[in-house]
Amino acid sequence: MTEEMKVKPGYKIEKLRFGYTEEIPDDWNEKSLDFFLDVNMGQSPPSASYNFVEDGVPFIQGVSEFRTLNPEIAVWCTEPKKIAEKDEILFSVRAPVGKMNISTSKMCIGRGISALKPKKTPLTYDQAVGK
């Protein structure tokens, strides 16, 4: 740390992933998403199971189905490999990475999507800050 960098009381300078340096509270520690969330990576079902007649569960392949808050369903699937449950966060893992929607029902998620939900067991404060 150089002399020009003044850190507020109760804070520290921390080098985070990807080389970012941030001023964060003394009792914070960086954690990966899977520390707080269950991460369910999508997988493509067999293409023969796709349909447009609402047979099976809705199928989300990527951000092309994303709208402002919830996806617009255009394809259904009778042989899903990976499932997102209602009200899970749908997170784009392919370009453009990071776009999000909320699932409105049980749905099949393809390779461009990850479904995120909070861990079932709440963390204590000490666990969350890495103590």
Side-chain angles (χ1 to χ4, degrees):
M1 182 170 20
T2 65
E3 288 184 2
E4 300 94 46
M5 296 181 77
K6 301 289 184 195
V7 181
K8 293 185 281 189
Y11 283 74
K12 63 183 175 183
I13 299 294
E14 186 79 15
K15 186 170 183 176
L16 305 174
R17 291 178 195 194
F18 309 113
Y20 293 106
T21 302
E22 294 288 334
E23 184 177 73
I24 63 174
D26 282 334
D27 59 349
W28 284 17
N29 293 302
E30 180 181 17
K31 298 288 183 194
S32 63
L33 278 180
D34 62 357
F35 187 81
F36 303 99
L37 301 169
D38 287 322
V39 179
N40 180 13
M41 297 298 292
Q43 183 179 347
S44 294
S47 58
S49 72
Y50 299 4
N51 70 82
F52 303 97
V53 294
E54 301 185 24
D55 184 20
V57 295
F59 176 39
I60 303 298
Q61 300 182 64
V63 296
S64 62
E65 293 99 350
F66 280 14
R67 298 301 176 261
T68 303
L69 181 61
N70 306 110
E72 182 177 305
I73 308 303
V75 179
W76 283 259
C77 172
T78 57
E79 297 178 49
K81 298 292 181 196
K82 293 291 187 103
I83 294 288
E85 298 295 335
K86 183 180 186 305
D87 296 326
E88 289 187 1
I89 299 167
L90 303 172
F91 185 83
S92 171
V93 294
R94 288 195 167 172
V97 173
K99 293 207 176 255
M100 294 182 278
N101 262 198
I102 305 293
S103 59
T104 55
S105 66
K106 178 179 177 177
M107 54 185 57
C108 176
I109 52 174
R111 292 186 306 162
I113 300 294
S114 178
L116 308 174
K117 67 179 174 181
K119 295 273 188 189
K120 288 184 180 179
T121 305
L123 301 174
T124 66
Y125 175 79
D126 285 347
Q127 289 171 319
V129 298
K131 291 184 177 180

